[in-house]
Each structure stands twice: as C-alpha cells, then as structure tokens.
Amino acid sequence: MKYLLLLLIVLAVLWRIRSKLRVPDSPQTQEQAEPVSKTVEMHACTHCGLHMPFSDMVAGTRGRYCTDGHRSLAEH
C-alpha cells in the first residue's frame, strides 16, 4: 500500500512539473505566428533535370544549370 501511495505522489509531482512547462495553445498565438519558411522558386537544370532553387543556379546562354560543369558540358 505504501508503494502505491509513493507512486501516486511521484506521478502527481511529474504531472505538475509538465503542466507548468507546457505553453498553452491559444488561437490568438497561432494567428500571430509567422510562417517558418517562405516558398522558394525551383527550376530544373537544363542539362540533367535536377530541381534546385533558382537563385543557386548558374546562368548560361542556353538556360540555367546546377553547376558550372553542367553549363560547360551543355554549351560546348
């Protein structure tokens, strides 16, 4: 019986600690939250078809490429 009482006390203490650490989810907080990430425009490499962010691609005379190597291969 004393072990049951001890277990109940330990569980009550753990429950109390978790309830204090938990942040309440309110609709107001969710509406004010900003998006984690913005969408990025993706394009395919003209040589191999790999999709990657447009800003990271290498510009060539015949299109956009994922690396300088693919640009040089496709334009020669």
Side-chain angles (χ1 to χ4, degrees):
M1 184 70 175
K2 66 180 179 179
Y3 294 115
L4 180 61
L5 183 60
L6 182 62
L7 178 65
L8 288 175
I9 292 172
V10 169
L11 289 175
V13 168
L14 290 175
W15 177 75
R16 181 78 172 161
I17 291 171
R18 285 192 67 198
S19 67
K20 284 190 177 252
L21 294 177
R22 189 178 312 160
V23 177
D25 291 334
S26 66
Q28 185 180 31
T29 306
Q30 291 175 352
E31 291 174 4
Q32 293 174 351
E34 303 235 356
V36 176
S37 64
K38 296 182 179 182
T39 57
V40 177
E41 188 176 350
M42 303 289 279
H43 287 272
C45 173
T46 306
H47 182 70
C48 68
L50 175 74
H51 284 83
M52 59 186 301
F54 184 76
S55 60
D56 293 343
M57 297 185 87
V58 179
T61 56
R62 296 184 184 169
R64 291 245 178 219
Y65 302 93
C66 58
T67 62
D68 284 324
H70 279 185
R71 182 185 64 179
S72 64
L73 285 172
E75 295 187 357
H76 282 107

